[in-house]
Each structure stands twice: as C-alpha cells, then as structure tokens.
Amino acid sequence: MSSRSATERRAESLPAAPFIAGSWQSASTAEAFDVVDPATERTVLMVMEADEPMVDSAVTAAHEALDNGEWGRMDGASRGQLLNALAQLIEDRTDEFADLESLDVGKPGFEPRVIDVPQAVATFRHYAGWADKLVGRSIPTPGYMGKPTLSYTIRQPIGVVAAITPWNSPTMIGAWKLAPALAAGCAVILKPPEDAPLTSFLLAQLAEQAGFPAGALSVLPGRGATTGNALIEHPGVDKISFTGSPETGRIVATAAIAGFRPVTLELGGKSPQIVFADADLDAAADGVALGIFANQGEVCAAGSRILVARSIYDEFVSALATRASKVVLGDPFDEGTTMGALINAKQLERVSRYVRIGNDEGARLVTGGNRHGSNGYFMEPTLFADVTQDMTIAREEIFGPVGAILAFDDDEHAVAIANDNPYALAATLWTSDLSRAHTVARHVHAGAVAVNGWSPLDPRLPWGGSKLSGLGRELGWAGIEACTEEKTITVVL
Ligand code: NAD
C-alpha cells in the first residue's frame, strides 16, 4: 500500500475532467466540484463537471462511434481482446486502483485489494469471453402461405448506454456496467459518483491505452442533479443502467419510461441475515459481523437486519458484540485498519440520526452509536438488540455500520420477518440443516441468497433485486441480455 501523501499526489495527477470522443476536456466555462478525502476532510482535487453541451457531445460521439466508427464495425472477438487487455492493465495496477479507492471512499486498504479491484478485473475477463458468443437462434415455424420459411434471430447492441454509479464501490460497480455493455458492442457513457470519481478517470486512461476506439467509452464526472440529469433526459441515450438510492432510481426510471427506454436499477437493501439455532455460531458471528461492518456498512447488500433464533439470542448478541469490539476503526491507510470512514458529513449525520431514532424508539444499544474522533467521518460499529419489526431501524436502509438484531421463534416466523420489508436484494442464512437452507432460500424475498457465507460476488452470477431494491439483473448472461436486443428475421423461401 502507498502512503496517503503518495496517493494524494497520484490523485492530483489524474485528468479530473470529462473524457469525450477520446479526449480529455480542458478549458471550459463548466463548473468544478471538490472531491474530499472522508478520512481527513481535506479536498483531494477539483473536478471539472460535464455540463449539458458536454453531455450532448458525449452522446453524439457515442452514436458516431457506433454508426460510422471503428467501434461499430468491430467484431466480437476483437472486442473481447480489448476487454482482456483492459482487465490486464487494471490488474497490473491493482495497488494504484486500491489506494485511490481508499482515498476516495474511505474504505480500508485491504478491501479494494481483495474485493473491488479483483472483482473489476474478473468482470472484464468474464465479459471478454462473452463478446464473440452473442449468437442468435434458428426457430422452426409452420411456414407462410404454404411456403417454407427460415426464421432466425440475431443479437445486436442496444446502442448508447448511460451507466450511473454510486460512491460505495465505484471501481467494481463501474466494471459491472461497462464490461457487459462493451462486450455487447454498445457505446457507454459513464457518470461516476461526484463523491468518488477518481478510479473512473484511471479506468478511462487505461481503456484508451488498451485500444478502445474514440467514443466507445466516455466518462462524464458531475453531480447528479446536473450531469446525471442531463444524461438521463438526453433522447440519444438508448438504455440506462443505474445503481444508487431508490429515490434517485425513481427519477431515473421515470425519465427512462418517458422516453420508452429500457432501464436496469440496482437500488438499496435491508438484507436479512438469519441465524438458526443449529448454525455453527462462531462462523455465523464472524460472517454476520462482516456482513454489516464491511465497507463501513455502506454496501447495498449489507446484512443490516440480523434475525436470530430466540433460543440462542443472548449468546449470539454477545458473540456479535465481541466481533464489534475487535473492529479496528481508523485511517484506511494504516495496515491494521478493518473499518474506515463514511463517505461524507451528510452520511455521518444520516447514520447518527438513525442511531438517535433507534434509541428513541426503544431498541437496546449494545455497542457503538457514536462518531469516532472529530476529524474524518468515522462512525463506531453499532449494534442494536431487542429490535422489533415496527421500528424504523428494522425497516429503513441506513447505509452505515449499524446492525438491528431481532428475535424469531421458528422458520415461518423468520421468513415472515425477512419478507416484511420494502426491500428485497439479498439474504444470508446460517444453518447446518440442508433441507432448512434450501426451503428458506426459496421462500425469502431476495435476488440472491447465500448460505453459510456472505454474498458470493462473482461476475458469472446474476445480481439484482426486486421491490424497492430495483429492476432487472446485472452480471452473467443477464448482463448481456440487458445490453442487447434480439431481432427476428424471417425469409419466405
Ligand atoms: P444516489 O442515488 O444519491 O446516487 C447514485 C448516482 O446517481 C450518483 O452517481 C449520482 O450522482 C447520480 N444521481 C443523483 N441524482 C441524479 C439524478 N437526478 N439524475 C441522474 N443521476 C443522478 O446514491 P448514492 O448515495 O451514491 O449511493 C447510495 C445508494 O446506492 C444506497 O441506497 C445503496 O443501497 C445504493 N446502492 C445499491 C447497489 C446495488 O447493487 N443494488 C450498490 C451500491 C449502492
């Protein structure tokens, strides 16, 4: 890991401007915004915001690349080679990506090294393999007016994809959106989060180095209400892929539907982690703690509702409190740190507000609940026990290191509690009973269920939720389907 000062210098050397049609924008009347290091509250750099004319240029360049450029003519195997080249360039610079992500997001250095960057690399490699396998189908029919027919389908890129990413894991989620769209032959316009855009600039530099033609990928830094809004409203955008909050997701979906454009929404979660009495409690306590404290709890799939069988409730609450006491909260650039800073002052206030609500509504604060230190947006790992279904902290997404622990009586009760929530993204089950594991996994409302482990991220596995957690799936074949259209061609023979 590099030092913070070395990483700050690296950040300062990034282009920090919109990347359109293969060139970085320079002098402009566009506004600039600050990127702040959440662990020190210091401004890391100023970024030039993509204004409306730049959004329009990026969309025009994307169509040009598709309709008249090298990108639109490129075969799938060649696109796959570019994706593989990009994956290799990212992997070669794992430390640089990881350090920039720690500086930008506040997460401890080991997390982007172990999760975000390797996942981004794996995602580009996975989709490199798909790029030359986007085959159609030949479908037999009875024919037309007594004549035989040949009917077949071809799979074509959907066009210009707007990819809007959140600040909690911008490198990995950026890869989730870029890789399938590029593999499918779409032109992509990435709008990175204003709070954490650093690695997106590096990604654009490496995409250029890998040889992606101009216009295949543009990066438009900017705030949601300005750049983001101009992008989703632009009639030249053919598909929107969004990850973020349900509130913004609703705005994005409305714009997409108004233009009759497909949209993929990966929104928030209030995911249950269900611990049955027959579970390996040590392993479960480790896994559940990871599920709520990893990435400071700023994870869409964070297991923020911890449902524990009543017969082991007290024992498990105390095991979790022990895990919380072992969290090393501090500078993301210190080797031993296991939990870093929340993204910004607003998020710290949001999490603190939910702690106040938990106390006011009668939940029992087991540990944590306070800001840590006075410089940087650090929040203690926090656990509330004796939480009931009607309490706000059992229902709303906090997006911070706050676990709400509820008791259940039997399997049906556990499933009923798990499903009585507006979100349905992920769930984890802890049990040694195979039949119970499969039965509960079928009944719990979630896009992904993990048993005796936590959220197995893998680009081969579809990812996404329903209800307030979103619409559609990313990753695996679902990612390709979401970026392509199947066209039917019939020839009367
Ligand atoms: P957010 O909705 O505020 O912002 C997400 C992105 O949308 C940012 O790039 C932002 O600039 C942009 N944006 C904001 N307003 C916009 C507008 N009017 N038009 C277009 N774009 C706009 O979310 P956030 O605070 O960055 O991220 C936290 C949320 O994201 C949490 O709710 C979390 O659960 C969710 N999330 C979900 C997943 C998932 O895979 N389901 C993954 C990570 C985060």
Short mmCIF file of all heavy atoms in Angstrom, two decimals, residues 164-168 173 176 191-194 222-225 228-229 232 242-246 248-249 251-252 266-269 299-300 397 399 425 463 469, ligand 1:
data_model
loop_
_atom_site.label_atom_id
_atom_site.label_comp_id
_atom_site.label_asym_id
_atom_site.label_seq_id
_atom_site.Cartn_x
_atom_site.Cartn_y
_atom_site.Cartn_z
N ILE A 164 -24.67 4.88 -14.63
CA ILE A 164 -24.56 5.82 -13.50
C ILE A 164 -24.23 5.01 -12.24
O ILE A 164 -24.95 4.07 -11.89
CB ILE A 164 -25.88 6.61 -13.33
CG1 ILE A 164 -26.17 7.38 -14.63
CG2 ILE A 164 -25.78 7.56 -12.14
CD1 ILE A 164 -27.46 8.16 -14.61
N THR A 165 -23.13 5.38 -11.59
CA THR A 165 -22.62 4.55 -10.48
C THR A 165 -22.64 5.30 -9.15
O THR A 165 -22.59 6.54 -9.11
CB THR A 165 -21.19 4.07 -10.79
OG1 THR A 165 -20.41 5.18 -11.22
CG2 THR A 165 -21.19 3.02 -11.88
N PRO A 166 -22.69 4.54 -8.04
CA PRO A 166 -22.69 5.16 -6.71
C PRO A 166 -21.27 5.20 -6.12
O PRO A 166 -20.35 4.60 -6.67
CB PRO A 166 -23.56 4.19 -5.91
CG PRO A 166 -23.23 2.85 -6.49
CD PRO A 166 -22.88 3.08 -7.93
N TRP A 167 -21.14 5.85 -4.95
CA TRP A 167 -19.81 6.10 -4.39
C TRP A 167 -19.26 4.96 -3.55
O TRP A 167 -18.11 4.98 -3.18
CB TRP A 167 -19.80 7.38 -3.56
CG TRP A 167 -21.01 7.54 -2.64
CD1 TRP A 167 -22.07 8.37 -2.86
CD2 TRP A 167 -21.26 6.88 -1.41
NE1 TRP A 167 -22.98 8.24 -1.84
CE2 TRP A 167 -22.51 7.34 -0.93
CE3 TRP A 167 -20.57 5.94 -0.64
CZ2 TRP A 167 -23.07 6.89 0.28
CZ3 TRP A 167 -21.13 5.50 0.54
CH2 TRP A 167 -22.36 5.97 0.99
N ASN A 168 -20.07 3.97 -3.22
CA ASN A 168 -19.57 2.99 -2.23
C ASN A 168 -18.57 2.01 -2.81
O ASN A 168 -17.64 1.59 -2.12
CB ASN A 168 -20.74 2.27 -1.55
CG ASN A 168 -21.61 1.54 -2.53
OD1 ASN A 168 -21.64 1.87 -3.70
ND2 ASN A 168 -22.32 0.54 -2.06
N ILE A 173 -18.47 -1.55 -9.34
CA ILE A 173 -19.79 -1.36 -9.95
C ILE A 173 -19.64 -0.74 -11.34
O ILE A 173 -20.39 -1.05 -12.26
CB ILE A 173 -20.72 -0.56 -9.02
CG1 ILE A 173 -20.96 -1.38 -7.74
CG2 ILE A 173 -22.05 -0.24 -9.70
CD1 ILE A 173 -21.75 -0.68 -6.66
N TRP A 176 -19.03 -3.60 -13.52
CA TRP A 176 -20.27 -4.35 -13.72
C TRP A 176 -21.09 -3.75 -14.86
O TRP A 176 -21.82 -4.46 -15.56
CB TRP A 176 -21.13 -4.34 -12.45
CG TRP A 176 -20.62 -5.18 -11.33
CD1 TRP A 176 -19.47 -5.91 -11.30
CD2 TRP A 176 -21.25 -5.38 -10.07
NE1 TRP A 176 -19.35 -6.55 -10.09
CE2 TRP A 176 -20.43 -6.24 -9.32
CE3 TRP A 176 -22.43 -4.91 -9.50
CZ2 TRP A 176 -20.75 -6.65 -8.02
CZ3 TRP A 176 -22.76 -5.30 -8.21
CH2 TRP A 176 -21.92 -6.17 -7.47
N LYS A 191 -21.21 7.90 -15.88
CA LYS A 191 -21.32 9.07 -14.98
C LYS A 191 -20.93 8.58 -13.60
O LYS A 191 -21.74 8.00 -12.88
CB LYS A 191 -22.75 9.60 -15.01
CG LYS A 191 -22.92 11.08 -14.73
CD LYS A 191 -22.47 11.55 -13.38
CE LYS A 191 -23.46 11.26 -12.27
NZ LYS A 191 -22.86 11.52 -10.93
N PRO A 192 -19.66 8.82 -13.20
CA PRO A 192 -19.23 8.33 -11.89
C PRO A 192 -19.81 9.18 -10.77
O PRO A 192 -20.27 10.31 -11.00
CB PRO A 192 -17.70 8.45 -11.95
CG PRO A 192 -17.43 9.51 -12.96
CD PRO A 192 -18.58 9.52 -13.92
N PRO A 193 -19.78 8.68 -9.54
CA PRO A 193 -20.34 9.45 -8.42
C PRO A 193 -19.48 10.68 -8.12
O PRO A 193 -18.25 10.59 -8.16
CB PRO A 193 -20.27 8.45 -7.26
CG PRO A 193 -19.18 7.50 -7.63
CD PRO A 193 -19.20 7.40 -9.12
N GLU A 194 -20.13 11.79 -7.82
CA GLU A 194 -19.38 13.02 -7.55
C GLU A 194 -18.50 12.89 -6.31
O GLU A 194 -17.46 13.55 -6.20
CB GLU A 194 -20.32 14.23 -7.44
CG GLU A 194 -21.45 14.10 -6.41
CD GLU A 194 -22.71 13.50 -7.01
OE1 GLU A 194 -22.61 12.45 -7.68
OE2 GLU A 194 -23.80 14.06 -6.78
N GLY A 222 -19.63 14.57 -12.63
CA GLY A 222 -20.56 15.65 -12.34
C GLY A 222 -21.56 15.24 -11.29
O GLY A 222 -21.65 14.07 -10.93
N ARG A 223 -22.28 16.24 -10.84
CA ARG A 223 -23.27 15.97 -9.81
C ARG A 223 -24.53 15.38 -10.43
O ARG A 223 -24.77 15.54 -11.62
CB ARG A 223 -23.57 17.26 -9.06
CG ARG A 223 -22.39 17.71 -8.20
CD ARG A 223 -22.47 19.16 -7.84
NE ARG A 223 -22.29 20.01 -9.02
CZ ARG A 223 -22.28 21.34 -9.01
NH1 ARG A 223 -22.43 21.98 -7.87
NH2 ARG A 223 -22.12 22.02 -10.12
N GLY A 224 -25.30 14.71 -9.57
CA GLY A 224 -26.48 14.01 -10.06
C GLY A 224 -27.50 14.95 -10.69
O GLY A 224 -28.01 14.68 -11.78
N ALA A 225 -27.77 16.05 -9.98
CA ALA A 225 -28.84 16.94 -10.44
C ALA A 225 -28.48 17.66 -11.72
O ALA A 225 -29.36 18.15 -12.43
CB ALA A 225 -29.17 17.94 -9.34
N GLY A 228 -25.90 14.15 -14.23
CA GLY A 228 -26.70 12.93 -14.22
C GLY A 228 -28.05 13.17 -14.87
O GLY A 228 -28.51 12.40 -15.72
N ASN A 229 -28.66 14.28 -14.48
CA ASN A 229 -29.99 14.57 -15.01
C ASN A 229 -29.95 14.84 -16.51
O ASN A 229 -30.81 14.36 -17.26
CB ASN A 229 -30.57 15.77 -14.25
CG ASN A 229 -32.06 15.82 -14.42
OD1 ASN A 229 -32.76 14.90 -14.02
ND2 ASN A 229 -32.54 16.86 -15.07
N ILE A 232 -29.69 11.40 -18.28
CA ILE A 232 -30.89 10.53 -18.34
C ILE A 232 -31.99 11.14 -19.19
O ILE A 232 -32.83 10.44 -19.73
CB ILE A 232 -31.43 10.16 -16.94
CG1 ILE A 232 -31.84 11.39 -16.15
CG2 ILE A 232 -30.42 9.31 -16.17
CD1 ILE A 232 -32.57 11.08 -14.84
N PHE A 242 -28.45 1.99 -13.85
CA PHE A 242 -28.27 2.86 -12.68
C PHE A 242 -28.07 2.05 -11.41
O PHE A 242 -28.80 1.08 -11.16
CB PHE A 242 -29.51 3.75 -12.53
CG PHE A 242 -29.53 4.54 -11.24
CD1 PHE A 242 -28.81 5.72 -11.12
CD2 PHE A 242 -30.23 4.08 -10.13
CE1 PHE A 242 -28.81 6.43 -9.93
CE2 PHE A 242 -30.24 4.79 -8.93
CZ PHE A 242 -29.52 5.97 -8.83
N THR A 243 -27.11 2.43 -10.61
CA THR A 243 -27.01 1.91 -9.25
C THR A 243 -26.96 3.09 -8.30
O THR A 243 -26.16 4.01 -8.48
CB THR A 243 -25.75 1.03 -9.07
OG1 THR A 243 -25.85 -0.08 -9.93
CG2 THR A 243 -25.63 0.53 -7.63
N GLY A 244 -27.80 3.05 -7.29
CA GLY A 244 -27.86 4.15 -6.34
C GLY A 244 -29.07 3.97 -5.44
O GLY A 244 -29.54 2.85 -5.23
N SER A 245 -29.55 5.09 -4.95
CA SER A 245 -30.65 5.03 -3.98
C SER A 245 -32.00 4.85 -4.66
O SER A 245 -32.16 5.22 -5.83
CB SER A 245 -30.65 6.33 -3.17
OG SER A 245 -30.86 7.41 -4.05
N PRO A 246 -32.99 4.33 -3.95
CA PRO A 246 -34.33 4.21 -4.55
C PRO A 246 -34.91 5.56 -4.95
O PRO A 246 -35.62 5.64 -5.95
CB PRO A 246 -35.16 3.57 -3.42
CG PRO A 246 -34.17 2.93 -2.51
CD PRO A 246 -32.90 3.72 -2.62
N THR A 248 -33.36 8.26 -6.13
CA THR A 248 -32.84 8.64 -7.44
C THR A 248 -33.29 7.63 -8.49
O THR A 248 -33.59 8.00 -9.63
CB THR A 248 -31.30 8.73 -7.41
OG1 THR A 248 -30.91 9.51 -6.28
CG2 THR A 248 -30.76 9.37 -8.66
N GLY A 249 -33.37 6.37 -8.09
CA GLY A 249 -33.82 5.33 -9.02
C GLY A 249 -35.18 5.65 -9.60
O GLY A 249 -35.44 5.41 -10.79
N ILE A 251 -36.42 8.65 -10.08
CA ILE A 251 -36.25 9.74 -11.07
C ILE A 251 -35.71 9.16 -12.39
O ILE A 251 -36.18 9.49 -13.48
CB ILE A 251 -35.25 10.81 -10.52
CG1 ILE A 251 -35.82 11.47 -9.26
CG2 ILE A 251 -34.91 11.84 -11.58
CD1 ILE A 251 -34.84 12.39 -8.53
N VAL A 252 -34.73 8.28 -12.26
CA VAL A 252 -34.10 7.67 -13.45
C VAL A 252 -35.14 6.83 -14.21
O VAL A 252 -35.25 6.92 -15.43
CB VAL A 252 -32.89 6.81 -13.03
CG1 VAL A 252 -32.37 5.99 -14.20
CG2 VAL A 252 -31.79 7.69 -12.45
N GLU A 266 -30.29 -0.95 -9.88
CA GLU A 266 -29.77 -1.68 -8.72
C GLU A 266 -29.82 -0.69 -7.57
O GLU A 266 -29.01 0.22 -7.49
CB GLU A 266 -28.32 -2.12 -8.96
CG GLU A 266 -28.12 -2.94 -10.22
CD GLU A 266 -28.68 -4.34 -10.11
OE1 GLU A 266 -29.06 -4.75 -8.99
OE2 GLU A 266 -28.75 -5.01 -11.14
N LEU A 267 -30.79 -0.91 -6.67
CA LEU A 267 -31.02 0.10 -5.63
C LEU A 267 -30.57 -0.42 -4.26
O LEU A 267 -29.69 -1.26 -4.18
CB LEU A 267 -32.49 0.52 -5.67
CG LEU A 267 -32.98 0.93 -7.06
CD1 LEU A 267 -34.45 1.25 -7.08
CD2 LEU A 267 -32.16 2.07 -7.64
N GLY A 268 -31.17 0.05 -3.24
CA GLY A 268 -30.66 -0.29 -1.91
C GLY A 268 -31.14 -1.62 -1.37
O GLY A 268 -31.68 -2.45 -2.10
N GLY A 269 -30.93 -1.82 -0.09
CA GLY A 269 -31.36 -3.07 0.53
C GLY A 269 -31.50 -2.92 2.04
O GLY A 269 -31.06 -1.93 2.64
N VAL A 299 -22.87 -0.80 1.95
CA VAL A 299 -22.96 -1.87 0.95
C VAL A 299 -24.45 -2.08 0.69
O VAL A 299 -25.23 -2.21 1.63
CB VAL A 299 -22.33 -3.18 1.48
CG1 VAL A 299 -22.46 -4.31 0.48
CG2 VAL A 299 -20.87 -2.96 1.87
N CYS A 300 -24.82 -2.13 -0.60
CA CYS A 300 -26.25 -2.29 -0.90
C CYS A 300 -26.77 -3.59 -0.29
O CYS A 300 -27.90 -3.66 0.17
CB CYS A 300 -26.48 -2.28 -2.40
SG CYS A 300 -25.43 -3.44 -3.26
N GLU A 397 -33.26 1.58 5.12
CA GLU A 397 -31.84 1.39 4.87
C GLU A 397 -31.03 2.51 5.52
O GLU A 397 -31.32 3.69 5.31
CB GLU A 397 -31.58 1.39 3.35
CG GLU A 397 -30.12 1.14 3.03
CD GLU A 397 -29.83 1.18 1.54
OE1 GLU A 397 -30.27 2.13 0.88
OE2 GLU A 397 -29.14 0.27 1.06
N PHE A 399 -27.39 2.41 5.55
CA PHE A 399 -26.17 2.52 4.76
C PHE A 399 -25.00 3.00 5.63
O PHE A 399 -24.30 3.95 5.33
CB PHE A 399 -26.38 3.47 3.56
CG PHE A 399 -25.75 2.95 2.29
CD1 PHE A 399 -26.05 1.69 1.81
CD2 PHE A 399 -24.85 3.73 1.57
CE1 PHE A 399 -25.47 1.21 0.64
CE2 PHE A 399 -24.26 3.26 0.40
CZ PHE A 399 -24.57 2.00 -0.06
N LEU A 425 -33.21 -7.49 -1.77
CA LEU A 425 -31.98 -7.59 -2.57
C LEU A 425 -31.23 -8.89 -2.28
O LEU A 425 -30.96 -9.68 -3.17
CB LEU A 425 -31.07 -6.38 -2.30
CG LEU A 425 -29.79 -6.34 -3.13
CD1 LEU A 425 -30.09 -6.25 -4.62
CD2 LEU A 425 -28.93 -5.14 -2.71
N TRP A 463 -27.07 -10.61 -10.56
CA TRP A 463 -27.17 -9.78 -9.35
C TRP A 463 -28.25 -8.72 -9.53
O TRP A 463 -28.30 -8.06 -10.57
CB TRP A 463 -25.81 -9.09 -9.07
CG TRP A 463 -25.84 -8.20 -7.88
CD1 TRP A 463 -25.78 -6.83 -7.88
CD2 TRP A 463 -25.95 -8.60 -6.50
NE1 TRP A 463 -25.85 -6.37 -6.59
CE2 TRP A 463 -25.96 -7.43 -5.73
CE3 TRP A 463 -26.06 -9.84 -5.87
CZ2 TRP A 463 -26.07 -7.46 -4.34
CZ3 TRP A 463 -26.16 -9.86 -4.49
CH2 TRP A 463 -26.15 -8.67 -3.74
N SER A 469 -35.62 -2.58 -4.10
CA SER A 469 -34.21 -2.86 -4.41
C SER A 469 -33.91 -2.80 -5.90
O SER A 469 -32.75 -2.90 -6.29
CB SER A 469 -33.80 -4.24 -3.86
OG SER A 469 -33.80 -4.22 -2.46
P1 NAD B 1 -27.56 8.31 -5.21
O1 NAD B 1 -28.83 7.77 -5.72
O2 NAD B 1 -27.58 9.57 -4.49
O3 NAD B 1 -26.52 8.50 -6.39
C1 NAD B 1 -26.17 7.46 -7.26
C2 NAD B 1 -25.70 8.06 -8.56
O4 NAD B 1 -26.79 8.73 -9.17
C3 NAD B 1 -24.59 9.11 -8.42
O5 NAD B 1 -23.69 9.00 -9.49
C4 NAD B 1 -25.36 10.42 -8.50
O6 NAD B 1 -24.59 11.49 -8.97
C5 NAD B 1 -26.43 10.04 -9.51
N1 NAD B 1 -27.62 10.90 -9.44
C6 NAD B 1 -28.14 11.54 -8.36
N2 NAD B 1 -29.24 12.25 -8.72
C7 NAD B 1 -29.42 12.03 -10.05
C8 NAD B 1 -30.39 12.47 -11.00
N3 NAD B 1 -31.39 13.29 -10.65
N4 NAD B 1 -30.28 12.05 -12.27
C9 NAD B 1 -29.29 11.21 -12.63
N5 NAD B 1 -28.33 10.78 -11.79
C10 NAD B 1 -28.40 11.17 -10.51
O7 NAD B 1 -26.94 7.12 -4.36
P2 NAD B 1 -25.57 7.13 -3.58
O8 NAD B 1 -25.78 7.98 -2.38
O9 NAD B 1 -24.45 7.46 -4.46
O10 NAD B 1 -25.43 5.58 -3.21
C11 NAD B 1 -26.03 5.03 -2.11
C12 NAD B 1 -27.25 4.24 -2.50
O11 NAD B 1 -26.96 3.33 -3.56
C13 NAD B 1 -27.76 3.37 -1.38
O12 NAD B 1 -29.15 3.45 -1.29
C14 NAD B 1 -27.33 1.97 -1.76
O13 NAD B 1 -28.05 0.95 -1.20
C15 NAD B 1 -27.40 2.01 -3.24
N6 NAD B 1 -26.51 1.00 -3.85
C16 NAD B 1 -27.07 -0.09 -4.45
C17 NAD B 1 -26.27 -1.08 -5.02
C18 NAD B 1 -26.88 -2.30 -5.69
O14 NAD B 1 -26.20 -3.03 -6.41
N7 NAD B 1 -28.14 -2.58 -5.51
C19 NAD B 1 -24.90 -0.95 -4.99
C20 NAD B 1 -24.35 0.18 -4.36
C21 NAD B 1 -25.18 1.15 -3.81
#
